[in-house]
Amino acid sequence: PFYRVLSCRPVQILMVANGNAPIHSRLWCVYEAYCARIMGIPTAVTGDLSKFATDVRASREADSAIRKAVKAKQLQELIDKAAEDAASDFD
């Protein structure tokens, strides 16, 4: 659903850190920020400052989450391309 919102080109997205987990360890948050950046949509982060990636473990988790997000996007692009190719075979 968030990608559909991003495709509407909002003025900005706001990521809110809460008490559940460091914001950059949540894959969907990282992926959403990544997609927004690729689309040129400004991103702001607010909320509980203690939930930002400020220690080594959190930084490693953020790095891992970013790599997973990039891989997920690449896989989605391959799936989309394969679906387009398959659809054109029926034309």
Side-chain angles (χ1 to χ4, degrees):
F2 77 84
Y3 194 82
R4 194 174 307 151
V5 171
L6 292 179
S7 66
C8 293
R9 311 296 296 171
V11 175
Q12 181 180 32
I13 65 166
L14 180 63
M15 298 173 65
V16 180
N18 61 33
N20 294 334
I23 195 167
H24 295 96
S25 69
R26 293 180 282 176
L27 180 57
W28 64 91
C29 291
V30 174
Y31 186 64
E32 183 175 320
Y34 170 79
C35 290
R37 181 174 181 179
I38 294 299
M39 299 170 121
I41 301 168
T43 304
V45 182
T46 188
D48 184 352
L49 296 179
S50 69
K51 298 305 175 190
F52 288 80
T54 57
D55 62 21
V56 174
R57 184 182 65 78
S59 294
R60 280 192 212 122
E61 289 175 358
D63 185 55
S64 174
I66 289 167
R67 274 194 245 120
K68 288 177 185 176
V70 169
K71 185 174 182 177
K73 176 153 178 48
Q74 291 169 339
L75 288 173
Q76 186 60 52
E77 288 172 350
L78 289 172
I79 291 167
D80 292 345
K81 175 72 171 125
E84 288 175 19
D85 291 347
S88 68
D89 287 345
F90 288 108
D91 292 338

